[in-house]
Amino acid sequence: MAKLVIVESPSKINSVKKYLGSGYNVMASKGHIRDLPKSKLGVDIQNNFKLQYINMPDKKDVIKSLKDAAAESEQVLLATDPDREGEAISWHLAHILGLDLNEENRICFNEISESGVKAGIKNPHKIDIDLVDAQQARRVIDRIVGYKLSPFLWRKVKSGLSAGRVQTVALRLIVDREREVLAFKSEEYWTVEAKLLSSRKTFTAKLYGNANGEKLPVISEEKAANDIVAAIADAEFRVSDIKKGTRNKHPSPPFTTSTLQQEASRKLGFTGQRTMRIAQQLYEGIDIAGYGTTGLITYMRTDSLRISEEARTAANNFIMGKYGEKYLPSKPRYFKSKSSAQDAHEAIRPTNVDFEPEKIKASLTAEQYKLYKLIWERFLASLMAACVQNTVSTDIIAGDYMFKASGYSVKFDGFTVLYEEGKDEESADSVTIPDTLKIGDVLKLKSLVPNQHFTQPPARYTEPTLIKALDENGIGRPSTYAPILTNILQRNYIEREKKTLKPTQLGMVVSDLMIEYFKQIFEVKFTAGLETKLDKIGNGDLDWIDTVNDFYKDFDALYKKAEESLDGKRVKVPTVETDVVCEKCGRKMVVKSGRFGKFLACPGYPECKNTKPMPEDEVKQ
C-alpha cells in the first residue's frame, strides 16, 4: 500500500511525485474543503464562538476521492501550504478523513525541490493546534465584522457595500492621505543655480548660504532671488573647500512577500494580485526543459529574512565562479527580520541558483521570467559585496554667498553589477564634479539662474507605498494585501489615477461612517495590536476564545450605539455634477460608477432614467 500525500494545489502534484517516487500517491485538496456557510453568520456567539463548519458543496467530488484514497493507503500525510491557513486546511482534512490529531501526519515543504520535499517527508509532526486556533480566531473576528457591518452599510448608505477589519483600515489610510492633499496650501520658493566651467567641464552648484557657511532662510519671492543674482553676477566664483571620501552602498535584503509586491509594482508594473499569482506558479513548479516539473522559488508567503546555510553556500559559490572573489563581502551578510516576523520560512529565494533566468527563459512565460529574474537577481545581490563610491563635495564662494555641489563616482560596482532596488521617489540628481578641481581655483560662470518652485502636497499612495505602509504598521498579513486592494477597487471605494490611489466620494463616505461609529476597531494601532494577538495565539501564548470575546464585547457595544444613533437615517453620497446637460429633461448630468466603470446619469432618476458614456476626455484622466 502506498502512502497518500495531500497537497493544496493540483499543480504541485507532478513536482512532489517526481521527488517522492513510487511509494507515494499525491493528491490535492484544491484549497479549503470545509468553511462557514455563506447564508448565515455560522458562529455561535453564545456558545464560546463555536464555528458551524460545513463541507463546501463544490468540493463534494474532491472529498469523496480523498476519502476513497485514504481508505486504501498505508498512511495519510498532510502537506498543505506551510502557513496559518495551510495548517487549518490540514486540520479540516484530518477531521473529514478521520485522522488522529495526536499522530505525526503533518509535513511542510518550504520549497518544491528535491531537498525541500525530502526534508519535509523526513520531518513529520503533529498538526499545530495553536496555529489552527489563530486562524479560527482571525476567521471569527473577520466574519463578525463583515457579517455585521456590511448589512449596516447596505441600510445606511447603499446596497452592495462591504466593510472588513483590515480592508477598512487600508481605505482609511488612503482617505486620510487624500484629506492631507486637499488641505495642503502650496507655497512659493526660489533657488539659485550657477553653471560653472572648470577644465573644459561644466557642472552645477546651488546657492546654500552666506560666505561664512551659514544657511540662508528660504527665498520666498522672485525679487529676493533676483537681488542675489544681481549682487553676484560679476563676482569671482572661487573654490573654498573640497571634501573627498568614500562610502559603501549595501544591497537590499532578499524578498519578503511585502517587498516582492512593492518591487514588482515599481519595476514590472505588476499589481500585488498578479505578483502573487505568478509567484505561486514558480513555487508550485514549472516544467523546465531537461529537468521536468521543478519548483523554482521557496514559499512566497513569508516575512522572514532568514536564508538557509545550504542556499548561502550555493550562492557564494555561484558568485565566486561568475564574478570572482572580490564580489563576495569580507564577512557573510546576515539580515535581521523584524520582531513580528513569522520565522517558519526563509526569505523568498530561488531553489537552485544554477537555474539562471536566461538559461530557463524558454520554459517560462514572459511574466514568469520577469518575476523569477527579479527574485533571482535580488537574492544573489543580497549576498554580494557592497558598491564602493568615491564622494566629493565642494564649497564655492561668490561675493557674500556660498554655493555647494556634491557628487559621486563608482569606485567598485559590487552588487550593482547585477541589481539595484527601485525607488518610490526620485532622489536629487548627483553632480559630476571635475577630478582636477582644487581649492583656490577660480571658475568661469556660464549662467546664473533663479528658479521658481512650489512646495508639493504629500504624495498620494501608490500600490507599492500602500503595501509598505500596511507592512510597516503591522496591518494584516502580507499575503492579504493583494486581495484587500482588489476588493476596495472593485467596491469603487478607491480608483486609480495614473499610478496613484484616490478615494471616491463613496469611499470617503464609507470610511468616515466607519471611523465615526467604530473608530476604536479601525484604528491603525488597534488593528496592528490584534494582529500581534493572533500571532501570540499561534505561538500558544494566548487563548483564542478569550481574545475573540474581548474583541466582541467592544465591537457589540459600538454596533448597538451606531444602530441607535442612525435609526431611520441614511447617509447620502455626494454626487459629482458635470456640465453635460440631459437632453431629455434639461438637468445637469452626474457621474456614477458601475461594474464597467464610470458613466453619466441623470439626477432626475427615477422620473428620468437617461444615461450615457463618460466623455472621452474625462475617461482618459
Side-chain angles (χ1 to χ4, degrees):
M1 295 172 76
K3 294 181 179 181
L4 174 63
V5 175
I6 303 175
V7 295
E8 275 186 52
S9 171
S11 59
K12 281 188 199 171
I13 291 174
N14 290 337
S15 310
V16 174
K17 230 177 206 177
K18 180 176 78 169
Y19 299 125
L20 291 180
S22 58
Y24 294 87
N25 178 25
V26 184
M27 297 179 71
S29 70
K30 299 182 181 177
H32 277 278
I33 54 168
R34 285 206 306 169
D35 198 5
L36 300 174
K38 289 184 178 179
S39 57
K40 59 180 181 177
L41 181 64
V43 178
D44 189 347
I45 292 170
Q46 307 305 321
N47 187 19
N48 281 336
F49 302 96
K50 186 177 179 182
L51 287 89
Q52 299 162 3
Y53 291 117
I54 60 167
N55 291 356
M56 294 167 71
D58 61 338
K59 292 294 179 68
K60 186 178 178 182
D61 293 342
V62 172
I63 291 170
K64 184 179 184 309
S65 298
L66 290 174
K67 279 184 172 180
D68 291 346
E72 296 173 2
S73 300
E74 175 191 338
Q75 184 186 15
V76 178
L77 295 169
L78 306 171
T80 51
D81 286 353
D83 56 16
R84 196 189 281 169
E85 211 66 29
E87 206 70 22
I89 293 173
S90 279
W91 181 74
H92 287 300
L93 283 166
H95 176 87
I96 281 178
L97 301 178
L99 305 182
D100 185 353
L101 292 176
N102 292 311
E103 187 183 334
E104 293 185 337
N105 51 19
R106 173 78 168 111
I107 57 175
C108 292
F109 303 141
N110 185 51
E111 56 186 77
I112 309 299
S113 62
E114 185 170 6
S115 61
V117 170
K118 288 185 175 176
I121 284 288
K122 282 181 185 174
N123 295 286
H125 52 273
K126 295 178 186 177
I127 290 172
D128 188 334
I129 297 300
D130 291 331
L131 268 187
V132 174
D133 286 347
Q135 190 272 346
Q136 291 196 114
R138 182 198 63 75
R139 189 81 175 95
V140 170
I141 290 171
D142 288 352
R143 187 80 167 190
I144 288 169
V145 171
Y147 265 64
K148 290 276 190 179
L149 292 192
S150 294
F152 175 82
L153 286 173
W154 303 344
R155 294 192 302 274
K156 304 306 176 190
V157 185
K158 60 180 281 193
S159 61
L161 303 182
S162 74
R165 179 178 64 87
V166 180
Q167 163 194 315
T168 302
V169 181
L171 174 61
R172 179 184 183 174
L173 289 177
I174 295 169
V175 169
D176 286 351
R177 178 61 57 85
E178 186 66 17
R179 292 240 158 83
E180 289 177 38
V181 172
L182 293 172
F184 182 81
K185 288 184 171 61
S186 185
E187 294 181 0
E188 179 184 9
Y189 70 97
W190 289 75
T191 59
V192 178
E193 286 186 353
K195 195 165 278 189
L196 302 165
L197 182 67
S198 173
S199 303
R200 297 184 181 179
K201 291 182 180 176
T202 302
F203 68 99
T204 301
K206 293 184 178 180
L207 177 66
Y208 172 79
N210 62 28
N212 295 323
E214 296 165 334
K215 192 170 183 178
L216 289 176
V218 173
I219 304 169
S220 57
E221 55 185 33
E222 184 178 12
K223 182 180 182 304
N226 285 335
D227 287 347
I228 292 172
V229 170
I232 56 177
D234 297 323
E236 180 182 80
F237 281 72
R238 184 183 294 272
V239 178
S240 64
D241 192 21
I242 296 176
K243 290 188 179 73
K244 292 185 178 181
T246 59
R247 67 185 180 196
N248 289 340
K249 180 180 179 182
H250 296 283
S252 302
F255 284 128
T256 60
T257 306
S258 169
T259 55
L260 175 63
Q261 291 179 60
Q262 292 173 51
E263 190 75 337
S265 177
R266 292 188 200 106
K267 285 197 164 183
L268 306 177
F270 289 0
T271 62
Q273 193 171 38
R274 185 180 180 190
T275 296
M276 294 307 288
R277 173 177 55 78
I278 303 163
Q280 183 95 30
Q281 295 164 2
L282 296 173
Y283 164 69
E284 291 177 352
I286 306 290
D287 188 5
I288 304 297
Y291 293 91
T293 305
T294 305
L296 293 177
I297 63 169
T298 52
Y299 193 54
M300 65 285 154
R301 293 189 180 96
T302 178
D303 50 8
S304 170
L305 296 176
R306 183 172 56 81
I307 299 167
S308 73
E309 289 306 310
E310 180 187 8
R312 181 184 297 275
T313 301
N316 287 345
N317 290 338
F318 183 92
I319 294 164
M320 176 82 84
K322 182 151 187 171
Y323 298 103
E325 188 175 359
K326 66 179 181 177
Y327 281 88
L328 284 172
S330 55
K331 289 182 181 178
R333 187 180 290 107
Y334 289 85
F335 296 98
K336 188 177 179 182
S337 302
K338 59 184 182 180
S339 57
S340 61
Q342 302 291 296
D343 202 46
H345 316 300
E346 294 181 55
I348 303 170
R349 62 165 176 83
T351 56
N352 185 346
V353 290
D354 291 327
F355 282 138
E356 294 180 65
E358 290 303 320
K359 285 184 179 177
I360 62 171
K361 186 175 183 179
S363 300
L364 305 176
T365 64
E367 61 182 9
Q368 287 170 349
Y369 166 75
K370 286 177 183 176
L371 193 66
Y372 177 68
K373 185 172 184 282
L374 196 68
I375 294 167
W376 186 89
E377 289 180 350
R378 172 84 162 222
F379 171 66
L380 266 293
S382 74
L383 299 178
M384 292 174 74
C387 168
V388 182
Q389 298 172 342
N390 288 321
T391 61
V392 58
S393 62
T394 179
D395 297 343
I396 299 158
I397 300 296
D400 293 331
Y401 297 95
M402 177 184 285
F403 286 72
K404 283 181 177 284
S406 60
Y408 72 89
S409 58
V410 175
K411 182 179 180 182
F412 172 61
D413 53 8
F415 75 93
T416 64
V417 72
L418 181 62
Y419 174 88
E420 283 195 72
E421 186 178 28
K423 296 283 186 288
D424 291 319
E425 295 175 10
E426 289 301 316
S427 53
D429 291 335
S430 177
V431 176
T432 302
I433 297 171
D435 296 334
T436 55
L437 203 67
K438 58 185 185 295
I439 294 174
D441 281 358
V442 175
L443 309 173
K444 183 178 178 181
L445 179 64
K446 300 269 290 182
S447 65
L448 191 61
V449 182
N451 294 311
Q452 183 185 38
H453 308 271
F454 292 93
T455 54
Q456 296 298 305
R460 285 194 181 110
Y461 283 110
T462 60
E463 186 160 338
T465 59
L466 179 65
I467 289 170
K468 187 177 182 181
L470 293 171
D471 190 35
E472 287 178 346
N473 285 292
I475 300 167
R477 276 277 165 221
S479 57
T480 64
Y481 298 157
I484 285 168
L485 191 56
T486 300
N487 198 22
I488 57 179
L489 278 163
Q490 288 178 344
R491 297 285 179 185
N492 192 39
Y493 292 164
I494 65 170
E495 58 190 4
R496 293 187 193 274
E497 193 170 275
K498 295 180 180 175
K499 288 188 176 182
T500 65
L501 303 173
K502 180 183 176 182
T504 61
Q505 291 290 342
L506 175 62
M508 295 180 94
V509 166
V510 168
S511 179
D512 290 350
L513 188 63
M514 291 293 99
I515 301 310
E516 183 177 355
Y517 293 100
F518 301 93
K519 185 175 181 180
Q520 179 186 334
I521 302 300
F522 298 121
E523 285 281 6
V524 169
K525 285 184 179 177
F526 178 85
T527 307
L530 189 55
E531 210 63 53
T532 301
K533 287 181 180 179
L534 293 175
D535 289 340
K536 285 184 177 179
I537 294 168
N539 293 330
D541 299 328
L542 269 183
D543 181 82
W544 82 270
I545 293 174
D546 289 345
T547 303
V548 173
N549 192 49
D550 288 345
F551 172 87
Y552 182 73
K553 282 191 294 188
D554 292 339
F555 174 82
D556 192 48
L558 293 170
Y559 181 79
K560 286 173 179 172
K561 190 175 179 181
E563 283 283 18
E564 188 180 312
S565 299
L566 288 171
D567 186 33
K569 298 176 185 174
R570 284 183 74 84
V571 180
K572 187 170 175 61
V573 179
T575 53
V576 179
E577 189 177 82
T578 70
D579 292 329
V580 179
V581 175
C582 175
E583 63 272 23
K584 294 186 178 179
C585 70
R587 295 181 177 94
K588 284 190 175 180
M589 301 190 85
V590 296
V591 178
K592 294 281 186 180
S593 294
R595 57 183 299 194
F596 300 112
K598 292 181 180 179
F599 62 94
L600 295 180
C602 181
Y605 185 89
E607 293 85 11
C608 179
K609 299 178 180 177
N610 188 25
T611 63
K612 58 173 64 181
M614 287 284 286
E616 270 192 43
D617 57 337
E618 293 285 334
V619 173
K620 287 174 184 173
Q621 287 182 8

